[in-house]
Amino acid sequence: MATVELRFSALPEHVRTARLVAAAVARRAGVDEAVLDEVRLAVGEACTRAVGLHLSNGVEAPVRVSLTEEEKKFSIEVGDESPTSATLASGSHPEMDDEAEGEDEMGLAVISGLVDDVEVTTSESGGVIRMSWPTSPQPLVS
């Protein structure tokens, strides 16, 4: 199992880098070319969400992205350290304005529409969005 880990400051300009790295690693892992745009978009949405949560809550910790190549699937985890993640999942988030809440819900809806296998988990210390795609075996080149 090969893993690539990224950590980046919660700045919007770093989201593009995370998308590019995710697409490159997904391609190498054997994710179908037709699905790479979905990988890019889903990672972009997940990272944008994490950056937004960090910025709106004054969290200085980096956003975490873990890209893992397994035997028959490629997985990506995007983690944040925002305490708001837990309140978003519970449905009670009085500290968020309606616009921010709507953006968060829209981002999660976009991710769910792009990725068949997605899981969102939260705790008091932050949240993780786990996404995975099937891979096809790489042909042997001689």
Side-chain angles (χ1 to χ4, degrees), residues 6-23 39-55 63-65 67 76 78-79 111 131:
L6 301 173
R7 292 182 188 273
F8 61 89
S9 300
L11 297 170
E13 53 266 28
H14 295 312
V15 172
R16 181 173 189 266
T17 302
R19 283 195 318 253
L20 293 171
V21 170
V39 172
R40 241 187 312 273
L41 289 169
V43 168
E45 287 292 334
C47 289
T48 297
R49 177 181 183 270
V51 166
L53 288 170
H54 278 217
L55 292 176
V63 172
R64 301 174 323 276
V65 181
L67 308 118
I76 299 175
V78 177
I111 293 167
M131 306 168 278

Side-chain angles (χ1 to χ4, degrees), residues 93-127:
H93 26 86
E95 68 282 347
M96 286 187 74
D97 61 28
D98 290 340
E99 184 178 340
E101 179 184 339
E103 287 176 13
D104 185 72
E105 289 175 7
M106 179 65 80
L108 290 175
V110 168
I111 293 167
S112 295
L114 291 168
V115 185
D116 291 335
D117 185 14
V118 62
E119 176 186 352
V120 180
T121 57
T122 60
S123 69
E124 294 78 27
S125 61

Side-chain angles (χ1 to χ4, degrees), residues 4-6 8 43 46-47 63-68 70 74-80 119 121 127-133:
V4 173
E5 292 186 9
L6 301 173
F8 61 89
V43 168
C47 289
V63 172
R64 301 174 323 276
V65 181
S66 178
L67 308 118
T68 305
E70 299 176 45
F74 173 68
S75 302
I76 299 175
E77 292 185 2
V78 177
D80 67 74
E119 176 186 352
T121 57
V128 175
I129 297 176
R130 289 181 185 86
M131 306 168 278
S132 66
W133 293 265

